Amino acid sequence: MSENIIQVIRINDGLYLLNENINEGAFITMMLVIGDEKAAIIDTGMGVSGDLDEVIRSITEKPVICLLTHCDPDHAGGAVLFGDVFMSRLDEPLMRTSLNYRTRSLMAKNMTASEEVRRCAKERMVRKDHFAYRDIKDGDTFDLGGRKLEAVSLGGHTEGSMCFIDRAGKIIFAGDSIANANSAVLLFDKCLPLSEYRQNLERFLQVTGQDMDIYTGHAIDVLDRRIIPELLTLCDEVIAGNTAGDVPYMPPFLQMPSDAKESIKGAIRKAMLGIAAKTQLGNSRPMEHAKLGFLASVKYNANKI
């Protein structure tokens, strides 16, 4: 198994955080929730090591269901390793675009300076990019035995984005629905308009309340509870047109590293990144809106307010 690729962090006996450790500064996290009868893996990373299922079996022998918050390449890349997968049908179009092996491979290689990780991505990465799944709808529950997870929709980052709520444990597993580490990410062409996300986020807060820990798809620590109220304020400012200080933003995985060498190989990589950027961004105009003293920021598409 690839213990050096998938980092396992025990939170308690029934909850583990798994980090696809390909970049020290950029976490790709998954959550393993274990009940008395079965377990649930929430998201599956990019599938770089190809053995997420084996890592989970080393933690628990209970049957495992796979719950996807959305179908982005860094969340659903390893989904094919599991036989019982649940995802919103609204995200199925992403399976035909951004989930493909070439996109995931390019992302992984661009995010790491480790030759070991690049070699693993080349030799062992999950290549199959289509998987069977069952549709999730808002309010669906998953009984793991002594522990239940409830699906609550929060469309924005993708149309079909879902969070999974452990009400008894007061935990939200949010993927990228709320924020990655401190930013709402709505800059891609696939994302819903900012105003629609703002409505969905307000409704989500009413359904869940604020007295919960929030785990996201790109952070090891829980999200600060001030984030959601801050995001609502930031969305209001952008919608109102208070954007004079906003700056263009480009996701790091679509940027050429500053130490990239000028070579034929580098030129090919640059061209592939251009294709990936076109696929991910389409006709969007990515901007970032922040506010002095706030923990949060909003990365949004200026063409879809």
Side-chain angles (χ1 to χ4, degrees):
M1 291 190 301
S2 302
E3 291 88 351
N4 56 333
I5 300 293
I6 299 179
Q7 175 188 10
V8 177
I9 299 172
R10 178 187 173 277
I11 297 171
N12 56 50
D13 285 342
L15 185 60
Y16 291 78
L17 184 149
L18 280 57
N19 174 40
E20 196 168 31
N21 190 22
I22 63 176
N23 183 311
E24 290 184 2
F27 303 110
I28 299 176
T29 54
M30 305 151 269
M31 303 300 300
L32 178 64
V33 185
I34 304 173
D36 294 335
E37 298 173 6
K38 64 178 73 170
I41 181 67
I42 301 174
D43 290 341
T44 62
M46 283 197 282
V48 170
S49 63
D51 63 356
L52 175 61
D53 52 340
E54 295 178 32
V55 173
I56 292 172
R57 279 198 294 271
S58 73
I59 300 170
T60 179
E61 295 181 355
K62 294 173 181 176
V64 178
I65 63 172
C66 175
L67 306 177
L68 297 179
T69 61
H70 61 298
C71 197
D72 272 353
D74 53 339
H75 292 260
V80 73
L81 298 171
F82 302 92
D84 208 3
V85 182
F86 295 84
M87 179 185 77
S88 169
R89 64 174 180 78
L90 296 176
D91 269 14
E92 183 171 346
L94 298 178
M95 200 185 299
R96 299 190 294 271
T97 55
S98 60
L99 191 62
N100 68 76
Y101 165 73
R102 289 184 180 276
T103 297
R104 287 185 289 115
S105 178
L106 180 62
M107 284 179 64
K109 291 173 183 176
N110 204 47
M111 288 176 65
T112 186
S114 166
E115 288 302 322
E116 180 184 0
V117 172
R118 287 176 177 164
R119 182 169 57 253
C120 192
K122 181 179 180 180
E123 297 175 357
R124 302 182 58 183
M125 184 176 230
V126 175
R127 289 178 177 262
K128 191 173 180 182
D129 46 28
H130 285 68
F131 52 85
Y133 73 94
R134 283 187 271 175
D135 186 27
I136 299 176
K137 292 183 175 62
D138 187 75
D140 285 351
T141 59
F142 302 88
D143 191 344
L144 306 180
R147 192 168 197 169
K148 289 185 179 180
L149 296 175
E150 176 188 347
V152 178
S153 64
L154 181 48
H157 182 70
T158 68
E159 186 178 4
S161 286
M162 285 282 178
C163 297
F164 299 98
I165 315 298
D166 177 352
R167 291 193 182 274
K170 294 186 175 181
I171 303 173
I172 297 170
F173 305 104
D176 292 346
S177 300
I178 297 172
N180 48 19
N182 67 339
S183 297
V185 180
L186 299 138
L187 55 89
F188 301 108
D189 200 39
K190 68 188 177 190
C191 299
L192 295 182
L194 185 68
S195 55
E196 191 171 340
Y197 169 72
R198 195 255 181 243
Q199 292 176 353
N200 292 339
L201 184 60
E202 184 173 40
R203 176 253 178 193
F204 179 83
L205 186 58
Q206 292 170 351
V207 169
T208 62
Q210 245 185 289
D211 187 27
M212 287 196 174
D213 288 334
I214 304 172
Y215 286 95
T216 76
H218 299 284
I220 288 179
D221 298 322
V222 296
L223 200 64
D224 191 290
R225 294 180 186 181
R226 289 173 289 176
I227 291 289
I228 294 181
E230 287 188 359
L231 289 176
L232 290 170
T233 297
L234 292 169
C235 288
D236 286 340
E237 290 184 350
V238 175
I239 293 166
N242 300 326
T243 59
D246 293 1
V247 295
Y249 178 83
M250 179 64 72
F253 68 86
L254 293 176
Q255 300 176 24
M256 283 291 287
S258 57
D259 60 350
K261 296 179 181 179
E262 291 293 336
S263 64
I264 294 176
K265 186 176 181 180
I268 294 172
R269 188 175 177 190
K270 186 175 181 179
M272 290 179 68
L273 280 171
I275 295 170
K278 183 63 178 176
T279 300
Q280 294 287 323
L281 297 174
N283 296 316
S284 68
R285 186 156 59 94
M287 302 291 290
E288 182 171 17
H289 182 71
K291 187 179 180 72
L292 187 64
F294 273 35
L295 297 171
S297 71
V298 174
K299 298 180 174 79
Y300 65 97
N301 175 3
N303 291 332
K304 290 176 72 172
I305 303 299

